[in-house]
Amino acid sequence: DIQMTQSPSSLSASVGDRVTITCQASQDISNYLNWYQQKPGKAPKLLIYDASNLETGVPSRFSGSGSGTDFTFTISSLQPEDIATYYCQQYDNLPPLFTFGPGTKVDIK
Amino acid sequence: QVQLQESGPGLVKPSETLSLTCAVSGYSISSGYYWGWIRQPPGKGLEWIGSIYHSGSTYYNPSLKSRVTISVDTSKNQFSLKLSSVTAADTAVYYCARQQSGWSTPGFDYWGQGTLVTVSS
């Protein structure tokens, strides 16, 4: 099975800061990676699919990049409403399996 | 607007079967897409349980496969989860979601609000 790691596990930043989260796969997954935002007590929300494509309606301050084993998720200017845990997710089709990263909790300093 | 709503008992006894239903509105399950179940133990990360197509075709997380059954009722526009022989480790918020397979990376674009199921005697 493909293992996913994320770093850091948590971070604290100021409003307006640039925030970067990394996700690493245990083997090459091309660009087969999605990113989700989960606010406390809420269901996850898809933000980015296929590593770098912004889901419709998602603010442009969110972006993603990477391919192979190393991926980056960026918030260009952190807003108070961005307080959440962010998860990466990959899909393997042999056997079919969705795997989520352990998550990165983002707080306001 | 696609909406999903989970329902079912919030408390299940150890060794019994957890049963949940996801009612879908704003979209006909018969029109396509896979539909999935994902769970999240309190304070922990997300775990995919399994997915089903409107035809009834299913696939499950290998780690849970022996205990999971997902079914669909297109007449009621809903799908269901059964998880047998539960233990305290199955205590979690259970989410249903629509599986988007139109991208290179299948994922989940619409989610229910989640329902907490506690396994305890």
PDB file of all heavy atoms in Angstrom, chain A residues 29-59:
ATOM      1  N   ILE A  29       3.283   8.651  -7.392  1.00  0.00           N
ATOM      2  CA  ILE A  29       1.839   8.653  -7.655  1.00  0.00           C
ATOM      3  C   ILE A  29       1.482   9.666  -8.740  1.00  0.00           C
ATOM      4  O   ILE A  29       0.343  10.125  -8.832  1.00  0.00           O
ATOM      5  CB  ILE A  29       1.010   8.904  -6.381  1.00  0.00           C
ATOM      6  CG1 ILE A  29       1.364  10.246  -5.734  1.00  0.00           C
ATOM      7  CG2 ILE A  29       1.194   7.763  -5.378  1.00  0.00           C
ATOM      8  CD1 ILE A  29       0.404  10.646  -4.611  1.00  0.00           C
ATOM      9  N   SER A  30       2.483  10.045  -9.550  1.00  0.00           N
ATOM     10  CA  SER A  30       2.252  11.027 -10.610  1.00  0.00           C
ATOM     11  C   SER A  30       1.616  12.289 -10.004  1.00  0.00           C
ATOM     12  O   SER A  30       2.159  12.835  -9.056  1.00  0.00           O
ATOM     13  CB  SER A  30       1.374  10.417 -11.696  1.00  0.00           C
ATOM     14  OG  SER A  30       1.235  11.305 -12.792  1.00  0.00           O
ATOM     15  N   ASN A  31       0.487  12.725 -10.547  1.00  0.00           N
ATOM     16  CA  ASN A  31      -0.199  13.891  -9.964  1.00  0.00           C
ATOM     17  C   ASN A  31      -1.505  13.474  -9.301  1.00  0.00           C
ATOM     18  O   ASN A  31      -2.430  14.271  -9.153  1.00  0.00           O
ATOM     19  CB  ASN A  31      -0.479  14.936 -11.028  1.00  0.00           C
ATOM     20  CG  ASN A  31      -1.535  14.478 -12.026  1.00  0.00           C
ATOM     21  OD1 ASN A  31      -1.666  13.293 -12.281  1.00  0.00           O
ATOM     22  ND2 ASN A  31      -2.287  15.425 -12.580  1.00  0.00           N
ATOM     23  N   TYR A  32      -1.594  12.211  -8.888  1.00  0.00           N
ATOM     24  CA  TYR A  32      -2.846  11.677  -8.372  1.00  0.00           C
ATOM     25  C   TYR A  32      -3.030  12.018  -6.904  1.00  0.00           C
ATOM     26  O   TYR A  32      -2.966  11.153  -6.018  1.00  0.00           O
ATOM     27  CB  TYR A  32      -2.899  10.168  -8.599  1.00  0.00           C
ATOM     28  CG  TYR A  32      -2.769   9.744 -10.050  1.00  0.00           C
ATOM     29  CD1 TYR A  32      -2.254   8.491 -10.379  1.00  0.00           C
ATOM     30  CD2 TYR A  32      -3.144  10.595 -11.083  1.00  0.00           C
ATOM     31  CE1 TYR A  32      -2.130   8.109 -11.698  1.00  0.00           C
ATOM     32  CE2 TYR A  32      -3.018  10.220 -12.409  1.00  0.00           C
ATOM     33  CZ  TYR A  32      -2.507   8.964 -12.715  1.00  0.00           C
ATOM     34  OH  TYR A  32      -2.375   8.585 -14.019  1.00  0.00           O
ATOM     35  N   LEU A  33      -3.284  13.296  -6.637  1.00  0.00           N
ATOM     36  CA  LEU A  33      -3.391  13.762  -5.262  1.00  0.00           C
ATOM     37  C   LEU A  33      -4.441  14.853  -5.153  1.00  0.00           C
ATOM     38  O   LEU A  33      -4.505  15.753  -5.990  1.00  0.00           O
ATOM     39  CB  LEU A  33      -2.047  14.325  -4.776  1.00  0.00           C
ATOM     40  CG  LEU A  33      -2.022  14.619  -3.293  1.00  0.00           C
ATOM     41  CD1 LEU A  33      -1.560  13.397  -2.515  1.00  0.00           C
ATOM     42  CD2 LEU A  33      -1.137  15.814  -2.956  1.00  0.00           C
ATOM     43  N   ASN A  34      -5.262  14.739  -4.120  1.00  0.00           N
ATOM     44  CA  ASN A  34      -6.259  15.765  -3.809  1.00  0.00           C
ATOM     45  C   ASN A  34      -5.979  16.356  -2.430  1.00  0.00           C
ATOM     46  O   ASN A  34      -5.327  15.727  -1.600  1.00  0.00           O
ATOM     47  CB  ASN A  34      -7.666  15.156  -3.820  1.00  0.00           C
ATOM     48  CG  ASN A  34      -8.034  14.550  -5.158  1.00  0.00           C
ATOM     49  OD1 ASN A  34      -7.621  15.028  -6.213  1.00  0.00           O
ATOM     50  ND2 ASN A  34      -8.822  13.484  -5.119  1.00  0.00           N
ATOM     51  N   TRP A  35      -6.486  17.575  -2.224  1.00  0.00           N
ATOM     52  CA  TRP A  35      -6.347  18.238  -0.924  1.00  0.00           C
ATOM     53  C   TRP A  35      -7.739  18.633  -0.410  1.00  0.00           C
ATOM     54  O   TRP A  35      -8.580  19.123  -1.162  1.00  0.00           O
ATOM     55  CB  TRP A  35      -5.503  19.497  -1.056  1.00  0.00           C
ATOM     56  CG  TRP A  35      -4.046  19.277  -1.268  1.00  0.00           C
ATOM     57  CD1 TRP A  35      -3.376  19.260  -2.470  1.00  0.00           C
ATOM     58  CD2 TRP A  35      -3.057  19.061  -0.264  1.00  0.00           C
ATOM     59  NE1 TRP A  35      -2.051  19.037  -2.263  1.00  0.00           N
ATOM     60  CE2 TRP A  35      -1.817  18.927  -0.921  1.00  0.00           C
ATOM     61  CE3 TRP A  35      -3.090  18.973   1.136  1.00  0.00           C
ATOM     62  CZ2 TRP A  35      -0.621  18.704  -0.232  1.00  0.00           C
ATOM     63  CZ3 TRP A  35      -1.907  18.754   1.822  1.00  0.00           C
ATOM     64  CH2 TRP A  35      -0.693  18.627   1.145  1.00  0.00           C
ATOM     65  N   TYR A  36      -7.937  18.445   0.908  1.00  0.00           N
ATOM     66  CA  TYR A  36      -9.191  18.781   1.567  1.00  0.00           C
ATOM     67  C   TYR A  36      -8.926  19.706   2.753  1.00  0.00           C
ATOM     68  O   TYR A  36      -7.866  19.646   3.379  1.00  0.00           O
ATOM     69  CB  TYR A  36      -9.887  17.528   2.105  1.00  0.00           C
ATOM     70  CG  TYR A  36     -10.290  16.529   1.065  1.00  0.00           C
ATOM     71  CD1 TYR A  36      -9.370  15.626   0.544  1.00  0.00           C
ATOM     72  CD2 TYR A  36     -11.593  16.476   0.586  1.00  0.00           C
ATOM     73  CE1 TYR A  36      -9.730  14.704  -0.414  1.00  0.00           C
ATOM     74  CE2 TYR A  36     -11.978  15.546  -0.375  1.00  0.00           C
ATOM     75  CZ  TYR A  36     -11.035  14.667  -0.869  1.00  0.00           C
ATOM     76  OH  TYR A  36     -11.398  13.747  -1.819  1.00  0.00           O
ATOM     77  N   GLN A  37      -9.940  20.497   3.063  1.00  0.00           N
ATOM     78  CA  GLN A  37      -9.946  21.339   4.253  1.00  0.00           C
ATOM     79  C   GLN A  37     -11.057  20.844   5.174  1.00  0.00           C
ATOM     80  O   GLN A  37     -12.179  20.638   4.717  1.00  0.00           O
ATOM     81  CB  GLN A  37     -10.239  22.797   3.857  1.00  0.00           C
ATOM     82  CG  GLN A  37     -10.433  23.764   5.001  1.00  0.00           C
ATOM     83  CD  GLN A  37     -11.049  25.071   4.508  1.00  0.00           C
ATOM     84  OE1 GLN A  37     -12.186  25.117   4.040  1.00  0.00           O
ATOM     85  NE2 GLN A  37     -10.293  26.150   4.610  1.00  0.00           N
ATOM     86  N   GLN A  38     -10.751  20.665   6.449  1.00  0.00           N
ATOM     87  CA  GLN A  38     -11.773  20.272   7.402  1.00  0.00           C
ATOM     88  C   GLN A  38     -11.785  21.238   8.572  1.00  0.00           C
ATOM     89  O   GLN A  38     -10.843  21.278   9.368  1.00  0.00           O
ATOM     90  CB  GLN A  38     -11.582  18.842   7.907  1.00  0.00           C
ATOM     91  CG  GLN A  38     -12.735  18.384   8.796  1.00  0.00           C
ATOM     92  CD  GLN A  38     -12.593  16.964   9.286  1.00  0.00           C
ATOM     93  OE1 GLN A  38     -11.494  16.469   9.498  1.00  0.00           O
ATOM     94  NE2 GLN A  38     -13.724  16.281   9.469  1.00  0.00           N
ATOM     95  N   LYS A  39     -12.856  22.005   8.668  1.00  0.00           N
ATOM     96  CA  LYS A  39     -13.020  22.907   9.807  1.00  0.00           C
ATOM     97  C   LYS A  39     -13.590  22.132  10.983  1.00  0.00           C
ATOM     98  O   LYS A  39     -14.256  21.105  10.791  1.00  0.00           O
ATOM     99  CB  LYS A  39     -13.910  24.086   9.413  1.00  0.00           C
ATOM    100  CG  LYS A  39     -13.289  24.940   8.325  1.00  0.00           C
ATOM    101  CD  LYS A  39     -14.108  26.171   7.997  1.00  0.00           C
ATOM    102  CE  LYS A  39     -13.398  27.004   6.943  1.00  0.00           C
ATOM    103  NZ  LYS A  39     -14.140  28.245   6.611  1.00  0.00           N
ATOM    104  N   PRO A  40     -13.337  22.601  12.207  1.00  0.00           N
ATOM    105  CA  PRO A  40     -13.778  21.860  13.393  1.00  0.00           C
ATOM    106  C   PRO A  40     -15.271  21.557  13.368  1.00  0.00           C
ATOM    107  O   PRO A  40     -16.093  22.445  13.124  1.00  0.00           O
ATOM    108  CB  PRO A  40     -13.426  22.819  14.538  1.00  0.00           C
ATOM    109  CG  PRO A  40     -12.257  23.593  14.010  1.00  0.00           C
ATOM    110  CD  PRO A  40     -12.537  23.787  12.552  1.00  0.00           C
ATOM    111  N   GLY A  41     -15.602  20.301  13.580  1.00  0.00           N
ATOM    112  CA  GLY A  41     -16.998  19.877  13.637  1.00  0.00           C
ATOM    113  C   GLY A  41     -17.699  19.785  12.302  1.00  0.00           C
ATOM    114  O   GLY A  41     -18.910  19.568  12.252  1.00  0.00           O
ATOM    115  N   LYS A  42     -16.955  19.940  11.220  1.00  0.00           N
ATOM    116  CA  LYS A  42     -17.544  19.930   9.879  1.00  0.00           C
ATOM    117  C   LYS A  42     -16.973  18.803   9.037  1.00  0.00           C
ATOM    118  O   LYS A  42     -15.934  18.219   9.363  1.00  0.00           O
ATOM    119  CB  LYS A  42     -17.276  21.265   9.165  1.00  0.00           C
ATOM    120  CG  LYS A  42     -17.844  22.467   9.886  1.00  0.00           C
ATOM    121  CD  LYS A  42     -19.364  22.450   9.924  1.00  0.00           C
ATOM    122  CE  LYS A  42     -19.918  23.727  10.503  1.00  0.00           C
ATOM    123  NZ  LYS A  42     -21.406  23.682  10.587  1.00  0.00           N
ATOM    124  N   ALA A  43     -17.663  18.527   7.943  1.00  0.00           N
ATOM    125  CA  ALA A  43     -17.163  17.532   6.998  1.00  0.00           C
ATOM    126  C   ALA A  43     -16.009  18.128   6.192  1.00  0.00           C
ATOM    127  O   ALA A  43     -15.919  19.350   6.018  1.00  0.00           O
ATOM    128  CB  ALA A  43     -18.280  17.115   6.049  1.00  0.00           C
ATOM    129  N   PRO A  44     -15.134  17.289   5.695  1.00  0.00           N
ATOM    130  CA  PRO A  44     -14.071  17.775   4.804  1.00  0.00           C
ATOM    131  C   PRO A  44     -14.658  18.425   3.552  1.00  0.00           C
ATOM    132  O   PRO A  44     -15.761  18.076   3.111  1.00  0.00           O
ATOM    133  CB  PRO A  44     -13.294  16.508   4.448  1.00  0.00           C
ATOM    134  CG  PRO A  44     -13.560  15.571   5.584  1.00  0.00           C
ATOM    135  CD  PRO A  44     -14.968  15.854   5.981  1.00  0.00           C
ATOM    136  N   LYS A  45     -13.893  19.345   3.002  1.00  0.00           N
ATOM    137  CA  LYS A  45     -14.276  20.034   1.772  1.00  0.00           C
ATOM    138  C   LYS A  45     -13.132  19.907   0.788  1.00  0.00           C
ATOM    139  O   LYS A  45     -11.979  20.213   1.128  1.00  0.00           O
ATOM    140  CB  LYS A  45     -14.560  21.511   2.053  1.00  0.00           C
ATOM    141  CG  LYS A  45     -14.832  22.345   0.820  1.00  0.00           C
ATOM    142  CD  LYS A  45     -14.948  23.825   1.168  1.00  0.00           C
ATOM    143  CE  LYS A  45     -15.112  24.672  -0.073  1.00  0.00           C
ATOM    144  NZ  LYS A  45     -15.163  26.125   0.245  1.00  0.00           N
ATOM    145  N   LEU A  46     -13.450  19.461  -0.422  1.00  0.00           N
ATOM    146  CA  LEU A  46     -12.414  19.341  -1.437  1.00  0.00           C
ATOM    147  C   LEU A  46     -11.964  20.716  -1.896  1.00  0.00           C
ATOM    148  O   LEU A  46     -12.790  21.567  -2.244  1.00  0.00           O
ATOM    149  CB  LEU A  46     -12.952  18.565  -2.631  1.00  0.00           C
ATOM    150  CG  LEU A  46     -11.962  18.400  -3.772  1.00  0.00           C
ATOM    151  CD1 LEU A  46     -10.965  17.298  -3.459  1.00  0.00           C
ATOM    152  CD2 LEU A  46     -12.694  18.092  -5.073  1.00  0.00           C
ATOM    153  N   LEU A  47     -10.652  20.954  -1.905  1.00  0.00           N
ATOM    154  CA  LEU A  47     -10.110  22.229  -2.368  1.00  0.00           C
ATOM    155  C   LEU A  47      -9.386  22.093  -3.706  1.00  0.00           C
ATOM    156  O   LEU A  47      -9.546  22.938  -4.596  1.00  0.00           O
ATOM    157  CB  LEU A  47      -9.124  22.800  -1.344  1.00  0.00           C
ATOM    158  CG  LEU A  47      -9.644  23.144   0.048  1.00  0.00           C
ATOM    159  CD1 LEU A  47      -8.512  23.733   0.878  1.00  0.00           C
ATOM    160  CD2 LEU A  47     -10.822  24.109  -0.023  1.00  0.00           C
ATOM    161  N   ILE A  48      -8.556  21.081  -3.815  1.00  0.00           N
ATOM    162  CA  ILE A  48      -7.694  20.920  -4.980  1.00  0.00           C
ATOM    163  C   ILE A  48      -7.719  19.469  -5.422  1.00  0.00           C
ATOM    164  O   ILE A  48      -7.641  18.557  -4.587  1.00  0.00           O
ATOM    165  CB  ILE A  48      -6.253  21.362  -4.652  1.00  0.00           C
ATOM    166  CG1 ILE A  48      -6.217  22.880  -4.484  1.00  0.00           C
ATOM    167  CG2 ILE A  48      -5.257  20.911  -5.722  1.00  0.00           C
ATOM    168  CD1 ILE A  48      -4.930  23.417  -3.948  1.00  0.00           C
ATOM    169  N   TYR A  49      -7.844  19.245  -6.729  1.00  0.00           N
ATOM    170  CA  TYR A  49      -7.784  17.895  -7.265  1.00  0.00           C
ATOM    171  C   TYR A  49      -6.650  17.779  -8.280  1.00  0.00           C
ATOM    172  O   TYR A  49      -6.206  18.783  -8.856  1.00  0.00           O
ATOM    173  CB  TYR A  49      -9.131  17.483  -7.878  1.00  0.00           C
ATOM    174  CG  TYR A  49      -9.565  18.309  -9.072  1.00  0.00           C
ATOM    175  CD1 TYR A  49      -9.268  17.910 -10.369  1.00  0.00           C
ATOM    176  CD2 TYR A  49     -10.300  19.480  -8.895  1.00  0.00           C
ATOM    177  CE1 TYR A  49      -9.662  18.651 -11.462  1.00  0.00           C
ATOM    178  CE2 TYR A  49     -10.708  20.234  -9.978  1.00  0.00           C
ATOM    179  CZ  TYR A  49     -10.382  19.815 -11.262  1.00  0.00           C
ATOM    180  OH  TYR A  49     -10.782  20.572 -12.343  1.00  0.00           O
ATOM    181  N   ASP A  50      -6.173  16.561  -8.442  1.00  0.00           N
ATOM    182  CA  ASP A  50      -5.071  16.301  -9.371  1.00  0.00           C
ATOM    183  C   ASP A  50      -3.872  17.221  -9.099  1.00  0.00           C
ATOM    184  O   ASP A  50      -3.265  17.761 -10.021  1.00  0.00           O
ATOM    185  CB  ASP A  50      -5.525  16.435 -10.834  1.00  0.00           C
ATOM    186  CG  ASP A  50      -6.549  15.386 -11.218  1.00  0.00           C
ATOM    187  OD1 ASP A  50      -6.695  14.397 -10.463  1.00  0.00           O
ATOM    188  OD2 ASP A  50      -7.220  15.555 -12.239  1.00  0.00           O
ATOM    189  N   ALA A  51      -3.569  17.362  -7.835  1.00  0.00           N
ATOM    190  CA  ALA A  51      -2.376  18.067  -7.328  1.00  0.00           C
ATOM    191  C   ALA A  51      -2.414  19.583  -7.443  1.00  0.00           C
ATOM    192  O   ALA A  51      -1.902  20.282  -6.558  1.00  0.00           O
ATOM    193  CB  ALA A  51      -1.109  17.548  -8.003  1.00  0.00           C
ATOM    194  N   SER A  52      -3.024  20.115  -8.518  1.00  0.00           N
ATOM    195  CA  SER A  52      -2.884  21.556  -8.725  1.00  0.00           C
ATOM    196  C   SER A  52      -4.131  22.250  -9.250  1.00  0.00           C
ATOM    197  O   SER A  52      -4.088  23.457  -9.512  1.00  0.00           O
ATOM    198  CB  SER A  52      -1.736  21.821  -9.711  1.00  0.00           C
ATOM    199  OG  SER A  52      -2.006  21.207 -10.963  1.00  0.00           O
ATOM    200  N   ASN A  53      -5.229  21.524  -9.411  1.00  0.00           N
ATOM    201  CA  ASN A  53      -6.452  22.120  -9.962  1.00  0.00           C
ATOM    202  C   ASN A  53      -7.401  22.570  -8.861  1.00  0.00           C
ATOM    203  O   ASN A  53      -7.803  21.783  -8.009  1.00  0.00           O
ATOM    204  CB  ASN A  53      -7.163  21.106 -10.868  1.00  0.00           C
ATOM    205  CG  ASN A  53      -6.339  20.776 -12.092  1.00  0.00           C
ATOM    206  OD1 ASN A  53      -6.164  21.598 -12.986  1.00  0.00           O
ATOM    207  ND2 ASN A  53      -5.789  19.572 -12.115  1.00  0.00           N
ATOM    208  N   LEU A  54      -7.748  23.856  -8.913  1.00  0.00           N
ATOM    209  CA  LEU A  54      -8.614  24.423  -7.892  1.00  0.00           C
ATOM    210  C   LEU A  54     -10.057  24.022  -8.157  1.00  0.00           C
ATOM    211  O   LEU A  54     -10.570  24.215  -9.273  1.00  0.00           O
ATOM    212  CB  LEU A  54      -8.477  25.950  -7.927  1.00  0.00           C
ATOM    213  CG  LEU A  54      -8.759  26.742  -6.663  1.00  0.00           C
ATOM    214  CD1 LEU A  54      -7.814  26.354  -5.545  1.00  0.00           C
ATOM    215  CD2 LEU A  54      -8.652  28.239  -6.950  1.00  0.00           C
ATOM    216  N   GLU A  55     -10.709  23.464  -7.154  1.00  0.00           N
ATOM    217  CA  GLU A  55     -12.128  23.122  -7.276  1.00  0.00           C
ATOM    218  C   GLU A  55     -12.936  24.411  -7.461  1.00  0.00           C
ATOM    219  O   GLU A  55     -12.569  25.475  -6.936  1.00  0.00           O
ATOM    220  CB  GLU A  55     -12.594  22.359  -6.033  1.00  0.00           C
ATOM    221  CG  GLU A  55     -14.076  22.054  -5.945  1.00  0.00           C
ATOM    222  CD  GLU A  55     -14.565  20.993  -6.934  1.00  0.00           C
ATOM    223  OE1 GLU A  55     -13.999  20.894  -8.036  1.00  0.00           O
ATOM    224  OE2 GLU A  55     -15.530  20.293  -6.595  1.00  0.00           O
ATOM    225  N   THR A  56     -14.014  24.312  -8.198  1.00  0.00           N
ATOM    226  CA  THR A  56     -14.878  25.463  -8.457  1.00  0.00           C
ATOM    227  C   THR A  56     -15.321  26.124  -7.160  1.00  0.00           C
ATOM    228  O   THR A  56     -15.781  25.460  -6.219  1.00  0.00           O
ATOM    229  CB  THR A  56     -16.119  25.015  -9.242  1.00  0.00           C
ATOM    230  OG1 THR A  56     -15.714  24.407 -10.471  1.00  0.00           O
ATOM    231  CG2 THR A  56     -17.010  26.208  -9.561  1.00  0.00           C
ATOM    232  N   GLY A  57     -15.181  27.438  -7.109  1.00  0.00           N
ATOM    233  CA  GLY A  57     -15.640  28.200  -5.953  1.00  0.00           C
ATOM    234  C   GLY A  57     -14.613  28.355  -4.845  1.00  0.00           C
ATOM    235  O   GLY A  57     -14.845  29.088  -3.878  1.00  0.00           O
ATOM    236  N   VAL A  58     -13.484  27.704  -4.963  1.00  0.00           N
ATOM    237  CA  VAL A  58     -12.442  27.792  -3.929  1.00  0.00           C
ATOM    238  C   VAL A  58     -11.590  29.039  -4.168  1.00  0.00           C
ATOM    239  O   VAL A  58     -11.170  29.296  -5.303  1.00  0.00           O
ATOM    240  CB  VAL A  58     -11.568  26.521  -3.942  1.00  0.00           C
ATOM    241  CG1 VAL A  58     -10.385  26.667  -2.977  1.00  0.00           C
ATOM    242  CG2 VAL A  58     -12.408  25.302  -3.573  1.00  0.00           C
ATOM    243  N   PRO A  59     -11.343  29.823  -3.125  1.00  0.00           N
ATOM    244  CA  PRO A  59     -10.567  31.059  -3.299  1.00  0.00           C
ATOM    245  C   PRO A  59      -9.184  30.805  -3.898  1.00  0.00           C
ATOM    246  O   PRO A  59      -8.543  29.792  -3.612  1.00  0.00           O
ATOM    247  CB  PRO A  59     -10.458  31.595  -1.872  1.00  0.00           C
ATOM    248  CG  PRO A  59     -11.627  31.034  -1.158  1.00  0.00           C
ATOM    249  CD  PRO A  59     -11.840  29.681  -1.745  1.00  0.00           C
TER     250      PRO A  59
END
